[in-house]
Amino acid sequence: QCKTRGAGKTSDLKAILLTPKTEATPLSSLGLEIAVDLCKRWTDQVQTAGEKPAVSMSQCRDRWLISFGVLGLALVLLFYHLGDGSLHDWDEAIYAQVAKEIVISDTWMTLSWNGTPFFHKPPLYFWLTALAYQMIGVSELAARLWPAIFGFGVVVLTFTLGLRLRSWCVGVTGALLLL
């Protein structure tokens, strides 16, 4: 792995982030620079017995790039043309209408669909969609925003769990399979 397990991780990160830069660097290369610097510091630490040896800097950099690439692909696939087209599925249209009625009637505790009480589902999703309607207006984009955000969160969670429980390869493969 790119790091060893130790107590100095947060202090290393603070030192990197708080170190003033003498030259201007583009924002896109700043994250890569921080990642490479973290890998250098973590691989220089003494490894404890029983841990796998640290990988080389080029492998570490490649892993960071592939990880950001997979998560970037997830963002593109989930959010590209999010507001285009009409609401296709019955459920998508019904859920959007329930959230719209929350905003119009301003009754957040009692859900309704076409004027009749709607107690088929828990209200959190409808509240979040109604909140999106209030912030950006009633549209297909606002109706699909929270499912896309939660979908991306599941991809990130799958990647993180695979990385923590098994290995980097398992995390990336799991995230790609989920897409």
Side-chain angles (χ1 to χ4, degrees), residues 48-148:
T48 59
E51 285 199 24
K52 297 177 186 175
V55 296
S56 70
M57 287 309 301
S58 63
Q59 288 175 331
C60 190
R61 184 187 66 236
D62 292 344
R63 286 182 178 186
W64 277 92
L65 289 174
I66 291 171
S67 300
F68 286 132
V70 167
L71 296 178
L73 177 67
L75 278 174
V76 168
L77 290 176
L78 289 169
F79 286 93
Y80 184 67
H81 289 297
L82 191 61
D84 291 353
S86 61
L87 300 174
H88 301 290
D89 195 4
W90 279 98
D91 290 335
E92 188 179 31
I94 290 171
Y95 294 171
Q97 181 63 30
V98 170
K100 183 179 175 184
E101 289 185 19
I102 288 174
V103 172
I104 291 173
S105 66
D106 198 31
T107 56
W108 290 77
M109 288 300 164
T110 304
L111 305 178
S112 64
W113 178 53
N114 288 335
T116 60
F118 185 81
F119 299 117
H120 302 263
K121 301 287 180 183
L124 179 63
Y125 171 73
F126 303 109
W127 291 340
L128 292 173
T129 304
L131 187 65
Y133 282 168
Q134 286 183 337
M135 291 191 321
I136 60 177
V138 177
S139 65
E140 286 83 4
L141 173 68
R144 295 179 179 138
L145 182 65
W146 287 106

Side-chain angles (χ1 to χ4, degrees), residues 19-68:
T19 303
K21 299 285 181 185
T22 57
E23 58 191 56
T25 56
L27 186 60
S28 60
S29 67
L30 183 63
L32 181 62
E33 182 181 328
I34 290 173
V36 169
D37 197 20
L38 277 174
C39 285
K40 283 181 186 176
R41 289 177 189 237
W42 282 331
T43 54
D44 290 342
Q45 292 178 355
V46 178
Q47 293 184 353
T48 59
E51 285 199 24
K52 297 177 186 175
V55 296
S56 70
M57 287 309 301
S58 63
Q59 288 175 331
C60 190
R61 184 187 66 236
D62 292 344
R63 286 182 178 186
W64 277 92
L65 289 174
I66 291 171
S67 300
F68 286 132

